[in-house]
Amino acid sequence: MRRRSLLTGAAATAAAAGSAAVVSGCGSSAGAGVPTLDFLSLAWQEESVKTNKALVAQWNDQHPEVQVRYVQGSWDDVHDQLLTSFEGGTAPDIIHDEGNDLTDFGSGGYLADLTPLLPAATRGRIPSAVWDMARSGGGLYGVPFLQEPRVLIANRTLLAKAGIGLPDAAKPWTWQEFEDIAKELSHTGGGSAERYGIAWPMGSPVSVTLNLALTTGGRILYRKDDGRTEVRLDQADSAFAELVRRQVGTDRSAPATALGMSGGDALPGFFAGRYAMLPLNLSYRQQIQQQAPAHFDWVTLPLPVGAGAPDGGRAQGVSPQTLSVSKDCGHKASAAAFIDFMTRTDHLVELARGDWMAPTGTDALHDPSITTDKLGWNTGMSVAAHLVASPALGRRGYPEWSDKVATPALQQFFSGGIGLDTLRKKLVRDGNRVFDRYRT
């Protein structure tokens, strides 16, 4: 996920993401010497912004000795804007970001190591495997608090008319079953009745391919004994990418026109019945609920699984959203205490509901308010229980490989411009040249 642009001012809203982007300066002293910490929040949905602001207000009421100032940001260009603020000494004290950024910012000396700062209660409420998603080079540079699995959103009416039974989290479809069902749901002879069983919005093809390669037992990015990254594209690594290529180019069960889309771009076609199913991040359920036509019947289904893969093929890679402390923050203990406050179980649940995502906390993940059958919450939390670290996490050189090598190569492959052998040469040969320039 990477929505970028950064705003300042507590009154800014996500809708103002196109405004001039400025990162707030470090925390200052207010009134009678009371320290004020700047909290950069990237919450963007109205419900989520409201929740974050309410929690900040609650903290300020309970902690007159240290205040927190809410700073509204956006995902658009946040990496570059934060880098500029770090180098200029104007970074916010508490930073909402994602796991993919922690490697560069942590190794660059911009983030505080939270290992000695977090209380045992914070460490205990989140599983150790999730904590590993925020570690780099022996340091802990963020608290993972929200995560987002990918699910299938389906037009229940179209599936029912075709006599297709719905899978559940206990018994998801296999990828082979999914391919067969997508073909059965497709009518691509042209005209107004044309319909595809699935559409693959691949505006960001690298993260999708890496994270879903895990469902077939692959990962593409591997760690060598010396800690460096090695790119491979063996059968398990390429199985998911080959499936997308087959559906677009051979089966005609997925349209080539969707490959350049984002998930939001594909929703009008989904509502119009042009696509029977969409693979989307869990939070898209809110957008669907708000925008779907009256009486449009949709359902959240688990993503298909690969035969013979670890965890029954249920594992997906994820880069969690994180809360970090700037290395230049003058009140690191107070900043860490605020992060502990924000990630208490009840607050994790509130934040997850506001963003329509899954919390990282073990107890929060089982809260009754987000395990209801309504609007696919239960399916989402069941799938989230199997999330693992994205293969991209902790890889120095990943941004360069993703932008310069993997993105254009995968786009060409999915659209039929190159074959599997050429894809392998580009990802592996050219990719390893990139990663070999980095120490880890």
Side-chain angles (χ1 to χ4, degrees):
M1 160 181 34
R2 189 68 85 187
R3 308 178 193 87
R4 306 196 175 200
S5 166
L6 213 51
L7 310 174
T8 60
T13 66
S19 303
V22 183
V23 176
S24 175
C26 296
S28 58
S29 293
V34 176
T36 299
L37 306 179
D38 287 332
F39 166 43
L40 175 70
S41 170
L42 302 182
W44 63 281
Q45 303 197 75
E46 181 179 355
E47 188 177 349
S48 179
V49 171
K50 186 182 299 184
T51 299
N52 275 269
K53 288 184 175 180
L55 288 175
V56 169
Q58 185 178 332
W59 165 276
N60 287 335
D61 286 343
Q62 297 175 4
H63 298 83
E65 74 284 359
V66 57
Q67 297 288 281
V68 171
R69 178 166 48 223
Y70 182 93
V71 178
Q72 181 64 62
S74 164
W75 290 100
D76 291 349
D77 292 327
V78 66
H79 178 95
D80 297 336
Q81 302 248 4
L82 279 172
L83 184 59
T84 299
S85 73
F86 285 134
E87 293 177 344
T90 60
D93 300 282
I94 303 154
I95 300 165
H96 175 188
D97 200 2
E98 66 167 318
N100 278 339
D101 276 345
L102 299 186
T103 300
D104 287 346
F105 290 156
S107 63
Y110 299 125
L111 298 177
D113 182 358
L114 299 178
T115 305
L117 297 173
L118 294 175
T122 312
R123 297 193 298 270
R125 68 176 68 107
I126 297 172
S128 59
V130 179
W131 283 114
D132 289 342
M133 299 183 194
R135 298 185 193 279
S136 179
L140 177 66
Y141 295 109
V143 176
F145 72 109
L146 292 177
Q147 54 191 348
E148 186 166 24
R150 189 162 287 250
V151 294
L152 282 179
I153 306 294
N155 183 322
R156 195 198 313 255
T157 301
L158 292 180
L159 270 64
K161 285 182 178 178
I164 295 170
L166 302 182
D168 57 28
K171 190 172 174 51
W173 289 326
T174 65
W175 281 117
Q176 182 59 61
E177 289 172 331
F178 165 75
E179 283 193 80
D180 294 340
I181 288 167
K183 284 190 285 188
E184 185 178 348
L185 288 166
S186 299
H187 302 287
T188 55
S192 59
E194 185 175 66
R195 183 178 72 229
Y196 294 89
I198 185 72
W200 286 101
M202 285 288 184
S204 300
V206 181
S207 61
V208 176
T209 303
L210 286 180
N211 291 334
L212 298 193
L214 293 169
T215 68
T216 61
R219 58 182 301 111
I220 302 177
L221 299 183
Y222 294 82
R223 188 175 298 280
K224 297 194 287 189
D225 291 341
D226 63 2
R228 296 191 181 189
T229 298
E230 178 183 18
V231 187
R232 302 179 201 162
L233 200 68
D234 298 327
Q235 184 175 359
D237 303 301
S238 65
F240 168 73
E242 291 183 77
L243 178 147
V244 175
R245 165 75 174 252
R246 278 195 305 274
Q247 291 191 311
V248 172
T250 303
D251 299 343
R252 295 275 298 156
S253 59
T257 52
L259 292 173
M261 295 181 181
S262 68
D265 294 334
L267 288 182
F270 179 59
F271 296 149
R274 181 172 169 78
Y275 321 126
M277 296 181 289
L278 284 177
L280 296 172
N281 286 340
L282 186 66
S283 62
Y284 273 100
R285 293 171 304 130
Q286 185 190 42
Q287 195 171 342
I288 292 170
Q289 186 206 30
Q290 292 174 341
Q291 297 179 5
H295 310 301
F296 182 83
D297 191 9
W298 59 278
V299 61
T300 303
L301 306 176
L303 202 73
V305 298
D311 195 15
R314 289 172 169 80
Q316 294 181 36
V318 67
S319 176
Q321 294 189 22
T322 57
L323 295 172
S324 302
V325 176
S326 170
K327 186 72 172 291
D328 289 341
C329 175
H331 305 277
K332 293 183 180 65
S334 295
F338 174 74
I339 292 177
D340 170 67
F341 169 82
M342 292 290 285
T343 57
R344 292 176 188 172
T345 296
D346 55 338
H347 296 165
L348 281 177
V349 173
E350 291 181 51
L351 292 167
R353 284 204 308 259
D355 258 322
W356 290 60
M357 294 174 67
T360 55
T362 303
D363 291 339
L365 200 59
H366 295 92
D367 188 273
S369 68
I370 55 173
T371 52
T372 172
D373 288 335
K374 276 182 157 184
L375 300 171
W377 277 106
N378 192 38
T379 297
M381 297 310 106
S382 296
V383 175
H386 298 273
L387 293 175
V388 298
S390 169
L393 290 176
R395 310 289 182 185
R396 294 197 63 206
Y398 170 75
E400 181 181 348
W401 175 75
S402 175
D403 292 346
K404 296 182 179 179
V405 177
T407 294
L410 285 168
Q411 288 173 337
Q412 288 178 296
F413 178 73
F414 290 140
S415 64
I418 60 174
L420 183 61
D421 288 343
T422 303
L423 175 69
R424 181 175 289 110
K425 287 178 183 178
K426 288 177 178 289
L427 292 185
V428 176
R429 182 194 62 194
D430 298 348
N432 283 326
R433 288 173 180 168
V434 170
F435 284 113
D436 282 347
R437 296 202 297 271
Y438 294 82
R439 293 185 60 84
T440 57

mmCIF file of all heavy atoms in Angstrom, residues 342-368:
data_model
loop_
_atom_site.group_PDB
_atom_site.id
_atom_site.type_symbol
_atom_site.label_atom_id
_atom_site.label_comp_id
_atom_site.label_asym_id
_atom_site.label_seq_id
_atom_site.Cartn_x
_atom_site.Cartn_y
_atom_site.Cartn_z
ATOM 1 N N MET A 342 -1.985 3.831 22.414
ATOM 2 C CA MET A 342 -2.697 3.648 21.150
ATOM 3 C C MET A 342 -2.881 2.178 20.797
ATOM 4 O O MET A 342 -3.820 1.824 20.061
ATOM 5 C CB MET A 342 -1.948 4.356 20.018
ATOM 6 C CG MET A 342 -1.957 5.870 20.101
ATOM 7 S SD MET A 342 -3.579 6.608 19.768
ATOM 8 C CE MET A 342 -3.679 6.437 17.987
ATOM 9 N N THR A 343 -2.022 1.313 21.302
ATOM 10 C CA THR A 343 -2.077 -0.100 20.923
ATOM 11 C C THR A 343 -2.617 -1.007 22.025
ATOM 12 O O THR A 343 -2.424 -2.219 21.968
ATOM 13 C CB THR A 343 -0.680 -0.581 20.473
ATOM 14 O OG1 THR A 343 0.272 -0.366 21.524
ATOM 15 C CG2 THR A 343 -0.230 0.153 19.228
ATOM 16 N N ARG A 344 -3.280 -0.416 23.018
ATOM 17 C CA ARG A 344 -3.994 -1.254 23.962
ATOM 18 C C ARG A 344 -5.108 -1.997 23.221
ATOM 19 O O ARG A 344 -5.611 -1.513 22.202
ATOM 20 C CB ARG A 344 -4.577 -0.404 25.094
ATOM 21 C CG ARG A 344 -3.517 0.207 25.994
ATOM 22 C CD ARG A 344 -4.128 1.119 27.045
ATOM 23 N NE ARG A 344 -3.095 1.835 27.777
ATOM 24 C CZ ARG A 344 -3.314 2.813 28.641
ATOM 25 N NH1 ARG A 344 -4.560 3.201 28.889
ATOM 26 N NH2 ARG A 344 -2.310 3.410 29.254
ATOM 27 N N THR A 345 -5.495 -3.129 23.742
ATOM 28 C CA THR A 345 -6.413 -3.994 22.997
ATOM 29 C C THR A 345 -7.685 -3.280 22.554
ATOM 30 O O THR A 345 -8.087 -3.361 21.389
ATOM 31 C CB THR A 345 -6.771 -5.231 23.837
ATOM 32 O OG1 THR A 345 -5.578 -6.005 24.049
ATOM 33 C CG2 THR A 345 -7.804 -6.095 23.127
ATOM 34 N N ASP A 346 -8.327 -2.547 23.463
ATOM 35 C CA ASP A 346 -9.573 -1.881 23.077
ATOM 36 C C ASP A 346 -9.336 -0.799 22.033
ATOM 37 O O ASP A 346 -10.173 -0.592 21.146
ATOM 38 C CB ASP A 346 -10.288 -1.311 24.304
ATOM 39 C CG ASP A 346 -9.419 -0.379 25.125
ATOM 40 O OD1 ASP A 346 -8.171 -0.455 25.031
ATOM 41 O OD2 ASP A 346 -9.980 0.445 25.889
ATOM 42 N N HIS A 347 -8.173 -0.132 22.105
ATOM 43 C CA HIS A 347 -7.873 0.895 21.120
ATOM 44 C C HIS A 347 -7.501 0.278 19.772
ATOM 45 O O HIS A 347 -7.851 0.828 18.717
ATOM 46 C CB HIS A 347 -6.743 1.798 21.627
ATOM 47 C CG HIS A 347 -7.124 2.564 22.854
ATOM 48 N ND1 HIS A 347 -6.197 3.195 23.649
ATOM 49 C CD2 HIS A 347 -8.331 2.805 23.426
ATOM 50 C CE1 HIS A 347 -6.817 3.799 24.655
ATOM 51 N NE2 HIS A 347 -8.114 3.567 24.538
ATOM 52 N N LEU A 348 -6.797 -0.852 19.789
ATOM 53 C CA LEU A 348 -6.511 -1.557 18.539
ATOM 54 C C LEU A 348 -7.802 -1.924 17.814
ATOM 55 O O LEU A 348 -7.900 -1.798 16.589
ATOM 56 C CB LEU A 348 -5.698 -2.822 18.813
ATOM 57 C CG LEU A 348 -4.199 -2.678 19.058
ATOM 58 C CD1 LEU A 348 -3.597 -4.029 19.384
ATOM 59 C CD2 LEU A 348 -3.503 -2.074 17.841
ATOM 60 N N VAL A 349 -8.785 -2.368 18.577
ATOM 61 C CA VAL A 349 -10.071 -2.735 17.973
ATOM 62 C C VAL A 349 -10.731 -1.502 17.360
ATOM 63 O O VAL A 349 -11.257 -1.547 16.239
ATOM 64 C CB VAL A 349 -10.990 -3.389 19.020
ATOM 65 C CG1 VAL A 349 -12.391 -3.610 18.455
ATOM 66 C CG2 VAL A 349 -10.396 -4.717 19.484
ATOM 67 N N GLU A 350 -10.716 -0.376 18.082
ATOM 68 C CA GLU A 350 -11.300 0.857 17.541
ATOM 69 C C GLU A 350 -10.609 1.284 16.255
ATOM 70 O O GLU A 350 -11.259 1.679 15.277
ATOM 71 C CB GLU A 350 -11.195 1.974 18.579
ATOM 72 C CG GLU A 350 -12.081 1.806 19.801
ATOM 73 C CD GLU A 350 -11.917 2.969 20.763
ATOM 74 O OE1 GLU A 350 -12.014 4.127 20.304
ATOM 75 O OE2 GLU A 350 -11.680 2.736 21.959
ATOM 76 N N LEU A 351 -9.281 1.219 16.242
ATOM 77 C CA LEU A 351 -8.530 1.621 15.055
ATOM 78 C C LEU A 351 -8.798 0.674 13.887
ATOM 79 O O LEU A 351 -8.917 1.113 12.734
ATOM 80 C CB LEU A 351 -7.036 1.660 15.374
ATOM 81 C CG LEU A 351 -6.600 2.766 16.340
ATOM 82 C CD1 LEU A 351 -5.180 2.525 16.842
ATOM 83 C CD2 LEU A 351 -6.692 4.139 15.666
ATOM 84 N N ALA A 352 -8.905 -0.614 14.179
ATOM 85 C CA ALA A 352 -9.190 -1.590 13.118
ATOM 86 C C ALA A 352 -10.579 -1.361 12.533
ATOM 87 O O ALA A 352 -10.770 -1.414 11.312
ATOM 88 C CB ALA A 352 -9.069 -3.010 13.668
ATOM 89 N N ARG A 353 -11.558 -1.091 13.392
ATOM 90 C CA ARG A 353 -12.909 -0.819 12.888
ATOM 91 C C ARG A 353 -12.925 0.443 12.042
ATOM 92 O O ARG A 353 -13.582 0.509 11.004
ATOM 93 C CB ARG A 353 -13.886 -0.668 14.059
ATOM 94 C CG ARG A 353 -14.295 -1.976 14.708
ATOM 95 C CD ARG A 353 -15.640 -1.827 15.425
ATOM 96 N NE ARG A 353 -15.663 -0.701 16.334
ATOM 97 C CZ ARG A 353 -15.511 -0.781 17.656
ATOM 98 N NH1 ARG A 353 -15.331 -1.960 18.224
ATOM 99 N NH2 ARG A 353 -15.558 0.294 18.414
ATOM 100 N N GLY A 354 -12.184 1.468 12.473
ATOM 101 C CA GLY A 354 -12.163 2.714 11.728
ATOM 102 C C GLY A 354 -11.556 2.573 10.349
ATOM 103 O O GLY A 354 -11.970 3.235 9.400
ATOM 104 N N ASP A 355 -10.555 1.702 10.212
ATOM 105 C CA ASP A 355 -9.881 1.496 8.929
ATOM 106 C C ASP A 355 -10.373 0.253 8.195
ATOM 107 O O ASP A 355 -9.863 -0.049 7.121
ATOM 108 C CB ASP A 355 -8.369 1.380 9.144
ATOM 109 C CG ASP A 355 -7.630 2.658 8.789
ATOM 110 O OD1 ASP A 355 -8.027 3.305 7.808
ATOM 111 O OD2 ASP A 355 -6.664 3.011 9.480
ATOM 112 N N TRP A 356 -11.301 -0.475 8.790
ATOM 113 C CA TRP A 356 -11.827 -1.709 8.187
ATOM 114 C C TRP A 356 -10.699 -2.702 7.906
ATOM 115 O O TRP A 356 -10.685 -3.408 6.898
ATOM 116 C CB TRP A 356 -12.627 -1.403 6.916
ATOM 117 C CG TRP A 356 -13.932 -0.714 7.186
ATOM 118 C CD1 TRP A 356 -14.114 0.486 7.795
ATOM 119 C CD2 TRP A 356 -15.242 -1.184 6.867
ATOM 120 N NE1 TRP A 356 -15.451 0.793 7.883
ATOM 121 C CE2 TRP A 356 -16.164 -0.210 7.305
ATOM 122 C CE3 TRP A 356 -15.734 -2.326 6.221
ATOM 123 C CZ2 TRP A 356 -17.543 -0.351 7.154
ATOM 124 C CZ3 TRP A 356 -17.097 -2.465 6.062
ATOM 125 C CH2 TRP A 356 -17.987 -1.488 6.528
ATOM 126 N N MET A 357 -9.751 -2.750 8.821
ATOM 127 C CA MET A 357 -8.602 -3.632 8.689
ATOM 128 C C MET A 357 -8.568 -4.601 9.867
ATOM 129 O O MET A 357 -9.524 -4.680 10.636
ATOM 130 C CB MET A 357 -7.320 -2.799 8.600
ATOM 131 C CG MET A 357 -7.251 -1.953 7.333
ATOM 132 S SD MET A 357 -5.832 -0.840 7.288
ATOM 133 C CE MET A 357 -4.498 -2.023 7.175
ATOM 134 N N ALA A 358 -7.473 -5.328 9.999
ATOM 135 C CA ALA A 358 -7.315 -6.281 11.097
ATOM 136 C C ALA A 358 -6.279 -5.759 12.078
ATOM 137 O O ALA A 358 -5.229 -5.249 11.669
ATOM 138 C CB ALA A 358 -6.876 -7.643 10.560
ATOM 139 N N PRO A 359 -6.536 -5.859 13.379
ATOM 140 C CA PRO A 359 -5.523 -5.470 14.359
ATOM 141 C C PRO A 359 -4.459 -6.555 14.461
ATOM 142 O O PRO A 359 -4.677 -7.703 14.077
ATOM 143 C CB PRO A 359 -6.331 -5.367 15.656
ATOM 144 C CG PRO A 359 -7.434 -6.376 15.485
ATOM 145 C CD PRO A 359 -7.768 -6.362 14.013
ATOM 146 N N THR A 360 -3.300 -6.200 14.990
ATOM 147 C CA THR A 360 -2.240 -7.186 15.170
ATOM 148 C C THR A 360 -2.346 -7.925 16.493
ATOM 149 O O THR A 360 -1.828 -9.033 16.623
ATOM 150 C CB THR A 360 -0.864 -6.502 15.111
ATOM 151 O OG1 THR A 360 -0.840 -5.446 16.083
ATOM 152 C CG2 THR A 360 -0.603 -5.929 13.725
ATOM 153 N N GLY A 361 -2.967 -7.322 17.495
ATOM 154 C CA GLY A 361 -3.012 -7.911 18.819
ATOM 155 C C GLY A 361 -3.798 -9.217 18.847
ATOM 156 O O GLY A 361 -4.847 -9.338 18.222
ATOM 157 N N THR A 362 -3.305 -10.166 19.606
ATOM 158 C CA THR A 362 -3.941 -11.487 19.687
ATOM 159 C C THR A 362 -5.365 -11.383 20.207
ATOM 160 O O THR A 362 -6.301 -11.937 19.608
ATOM 161 C CB THR A 362 -3.118 -12.413 20.595
ATOM 162 O OG1 THR A 362 -1.782 -12.505 20.087
ATOM 163 C CG2 THR A 362 -3.739 -13.804 20.644
ATOM 164 N N ASP A 363 -5.561 -10.688 21.313
ATOM 165 C CA ASP A 363 -6.905 -10.560 21.879
ATOM 166 C C ASP A 363 -7.793 -9.677 21.002
ATOM 167 O O ASP A 363 -8.983 -9.954 20.831
ATOM 168 C CB ASP A 363 -6.837 -9.986 23.300
ATOM 169 C CG ASP A 363 -6.214 -10.955 24.289
ATOM 170 O OD1 ASP A 363 -6.193 -12.175 23.999
ATOM 171 O OD2 ASP A 363 -5.731 -10.506 25.346
ATOM 172 N N ALA A 364 -7.218 -8.632 20.457
ATOM 173 C CA ALA A 364 -8.000 -7.733 19.607
ATOM 174 C C ALA A 364 -8.549 -8.455 18.390
ATOM 175 O O ALA A 364 -9.672 -8.202 17.948
ATOM 176 C CB ALA A 364 -7.134 -6.550 19.165
ATOM 177 N N LEU A 365 -7.770 -9.386 17.861
ATOM 178 C CA LEU A 365 -8.168 -10.114 16.650
ATOM 179 C C LEU A 365 -9.406 -10.980 16.888
ATOM 180 O O LEU A 365 -10.087 -11.368 15.941
ATOM 181 C CB LEU A 365 -7.001 -10.983 16.176
ATOM 182 C CG LEU A 365 -6.988 -11.465 14.725
ATOM 183 C CD1 LEU A 365 -7.015 -10.289 13.759
ATOM 184 C CD2 LEU A 365 -5.756 -12.325 14.478
ATOM 185 N N HIS A 366 -9.708 -11.255 18.156
ATOM 186 C CA HIS A 366 -10.862 -12.091 18.485
ATOM 187 C C HIS A 366 -12.002 -11.299 19.119
ATOM 188 O O HIS A 366 -12.952 -11.880 19.643
ATOM 189 C CB HIS A 366 -10.433 -13.219 19.433
ATOM 190 C CG HIS A 366 -9.466 -14.194 18.815
ATOM 191 N ND1 HIS A 366 -8.103 -14.041 18.910
ATOM 192 C CD2 HIS A 366 -9.681 -15.305 18.073
ATOM 193 C CE1 HIS A 366 -7.519 -15.032 18.268
ATOM 194 N NE2 HIS A 366 -8.441 -15.809 17.750
ATOM 195 N N ASP A 367 -11.927 -9.977 19.058
ATOM 196 C CA ASP A 367 -12.974 -9.153 19.662
ATOM 197 C C ASP A 367 -14.308 -9.385 18.950
ATOM 198 O O ASP A 367 -14.358 -9.444 17.709
ATOM 199 C CB ASP A 367 -12.590 -7.680 19.563
ATOM 200 C CG ASP A 367 -13.548 -6.798 20.340
ATOM 201 O OD1 ASP A 367 -14.583 -6.396 19.759
ATOM 202 O OD2 ASP A 367 -13.265 -6.512 21.508
ATOM 203 N N PRO A 368 -15.405 -9.540 19.682
ATOM 204 C CA PRO A 368 -16.703 -9.830 19.055
ATOM 205 C C PRO A 368 -17.152 -8.800 18.033
ATOM 206 O O PRO A 368 -17.843 -9.139 17.073
ATOM 207 C CB PRO A 368 -17.667 -9.870 20.250
ATOM 208 C CG PRO A 368 -16.819 -10.208 21.423
ATOM 209 C CD PRO A 368 -15.494 -9.566 21.158
#
